[in-house]
Amino acid sequence: MYALRSAAFTAAYLTVFLTSAVLPWFPVPTLAVAAVWLTAQTGYGRRRLDVIMLATAAAVGATLNGASLLMCVVVALIAVLPALLFAVLLQRLLPGYWLGHGDRFRNPRAALARMAVIAPATAAAGAVMETVAGTDHVMLRFVLGTVAVFLAPLAVRATRTQSDRPGRRRFTVVR
């Protein structure tokens, strides 16, 4: 299952990477796909392998766009570091939020406030790295990245809690 999931994320990442290279206003930024990838793979405990796969996918996408070896390394860093920041912050500040765990004990407003801090911080890290690398459309990618990274966990969480709800058992006390 892990290999299949990783292959699907790699294909999705390469598709979005190559599409956003042609269409800068593409609504799904590569940052969102990378952040979702690293966050979804957190449960497997193989983060270093996921980081290597993500860096390799970014380097392959840059190579397909005609980048040199040094630029491929820069593109891989731009892809990995903000996504890794998002996955770590989400895991540390909102453990289990991605899967809908701990909702009974968590204030919904506080969770959204933390997400409202995590998303722009991740997008800002990506925008700063893209500015240093000298890429175009940095502000557009910052805005799209912030929105997509904020909405992606909420969408995954909503679909997971909706699919769990009909057959979900309530807490039962046995005396």
Side-chain angles (χ1 to χ4, degrees):
M1 185 70 175
Y2 177 78
L4 225 87
R5 183 183 246 177
S6 297
F9 275 121
T10 302
Y13 183 81
L14 281 174
T15 303
V16 170
F17 186 90
L18 295 173
T19 305
S20 65
V22 175
L23 304 170
W25 59 87
F26 189 64
V28 179
T30 56
L31 172 63
V33 176
V36 167
W37 180 352
L38 292 182
T39 304
Q41 299 285 69
T42 299
Y44 291 102
R46 300 176 179 158
R47 178 155 293 156
R48 67 180 182 278
L49 296 177
D50 298 324
V51 167
I52 291 169
M53 281 189 275
L54 178 59
T56 304
V60 166
T63 302
L64 292 175
N65 282 333
S68 64
L69 180 62
L70 184 59
M71 191 59 185
C72 287
V73 172
V74 170
V75 168
L77 285 174
I78 291 172
V80 169
L81 292 180
L84 187 61
L85 176 70
F86 177 78
V88 169
L89 284 177
L90 191 65
Q91 184 180 7
R92 298 287 187 238
L93 296 178
L94 291 169
Y97 184 77
W98 174 262
L99 301 173
H101 297 213
D103 288 342
R104 195 172 350 159
F105 308 108
R106 186 177 292 128
N107 184 358
R109 287 187 184 150
L112 284 178
R114 287 181 181 170
M115 279 296 299
V117 170
I118 293 170
T122 303
V128 166
M129 293 181 76
E130 286 183 13
T131 303
V132 170
T135 58
D136 297 331
H137 309 291
V138 174
M139 283 307 294
L140 177 66
R141 290 186 183 181
F142 169 73
V143 171
L144 287 175
T146 301
V147 170
V149 169
F150 183 78
L151 293 179
L154 297 177
V156 169
R157 187 175 176 284
T159 58
R160 290 204 39 110
T161 56
Q162 288 297 332
S163 66
D164 289 347
R165 203 162 272 161
R168 190 174 183 185
R169 296 183 185 232
R170 298 287 176 214
F171 182 71
T172 306
V173 177
V174 179
R175 296 181 192 204

